[in-house]
Amino acid sequence: MNDTAERTNTGLVFAIVAVATIGGLLFGYDSGAVNGTQPGLKAAFNLDDWWLGFTVGSLLIGCVVGAFSAGTLADSMGRRNVMRFAAVLFLGGALVQGFAHEHILFVIARFCGGVAVGAASVLSPAYISEVAPANIRGRMTTVQQVMIITGLTAAFLVNFYVTSVAGVSTNKIWMDIEAWRWMYLAQALPAAVFLVALFFIPESPRYLVAKGRNEQALQVLTNLFGTTAGALKLAEIRASFSTDHRPRLADVLTPAGGKGFLGMRSIVWVGIMLAVFQQLVGINVIFYYGSTLWQLAGFTEQDSLMINIVSGAVSIAACFVTIAVIDRIGRKPLLIIGSAGMAISLFVMVYAFSHASIDPADASKIILSKDLGLIAVIAANVYVVFFNVSWGPVMWVMLGEMFPNQIRGSALAVCGFFQWFANYCIAQSFPVMAASLGLAISYTFYGVCAVISLFLVSRFITETKGKELEAMEG
């Protein structure tokens, strides 16, 4: 164990991680809440499949904006201040989505919630990476994924509970409000907790150094690592920044004489690859449309919501496996294992869906035999396990740590933009793909992307396990 690790104030690190990852919890809840609200959205706003996809995806448009803006804003305003702004948007978005009776107002609120999700998704892992020591950085950043899945599972539980009380999600329950609206309103409580808690954690020392606030940075580092180790770390961080150049978005461009492609640094393209393929494997089809997916496959609404809960619990368990091994075996092996496992399980789902028959009462639905239905559910949960052992947490871990200090905020802005744009494309396209091409062809696409991701990781990913942030190159 190195000197810094021996002097680490683990209590403070854990407290910082606990607060920062509430953003992940809200990210997960906001992403998952829509899963059980789609019948209510259709009924309340008279939506067809295209408009349903747009309404669900409007959150993701906000995520694109939030992720792209957050990195550069965090370089100018600080990580903590941008997360506070995100917390305000989380709170307001939850309340307005719950009470809105005009479609345009609902979409605007969902967009604002998406800005918060996008900002939290890139800043929480980056902030954790900038305060956690290298030997536990992977584990600490993986907590973000645990909280994302916990938020998703909490959304599934809330959806299941209020639907059980109401009978169906479109019925009114407490305060004469439809059950599906309560699925959004429940988010207001953790959003308020997040906002308050952000006033009790310090700013990132690496941001403080970038702004020339070295005395404040030294105080934070001393609180984290002790007097001697804090001073040494401050010197390392200062050396990693250019004294005459503050971080800016243009830093992602290839420097004179450097290696790059289409004008951007190679390391940024690797980050974009990670960000995009995390979405192209189709995970958020299960997260956003799980209830709809299983109803298309012949399960009842209640059974579909219960399957979502089981998937969420399995996901959390998988993330704890990652926490146990990520700082031991590394990031790259986990990505390779995940790609292979996801590809196999996705093609098993393709097999099940390809042997289904059309429901004679509703041509938009399919009928699975009991055996095929069981195979599809098991394969989906195996897929979720492999994703959450690998690409789910590891992508965020690597984006938070793989870039040099000088370009971290700007690179996160670019990679976050691509990640959420890919997320939006998948969410927007799935209802149309499922209706026009069928589930078998749709999942074949995701399976092929999983295979491609395996080869890309093998070729382009460089291991970052145990490396100090100041040692990152690119």
Side-chain angles (χ1 to χ4, degrees), residues 356-380:
S357 57
I358 302 298
D359 187 345
D362 185 350
S364 66
K365 294 184 178 181
I366 62 175
I367 298 176
L368 290 173
S369 67
K370 184 177 180 180
D371 289 343
L372 286 175
L374 182 60
I375 288 172
V377 170
I378 292 173

Side-chain angles (χ1 to χ4, degrees), residues 92-109:
L95 294 173
V96 176
Q97 283 179 88
F99 290 119
H101 287 275
E102 296 294 330
H103 185 236
I104 185 63
L105 185 60
F106 181 90
V107 169
I108 291 172

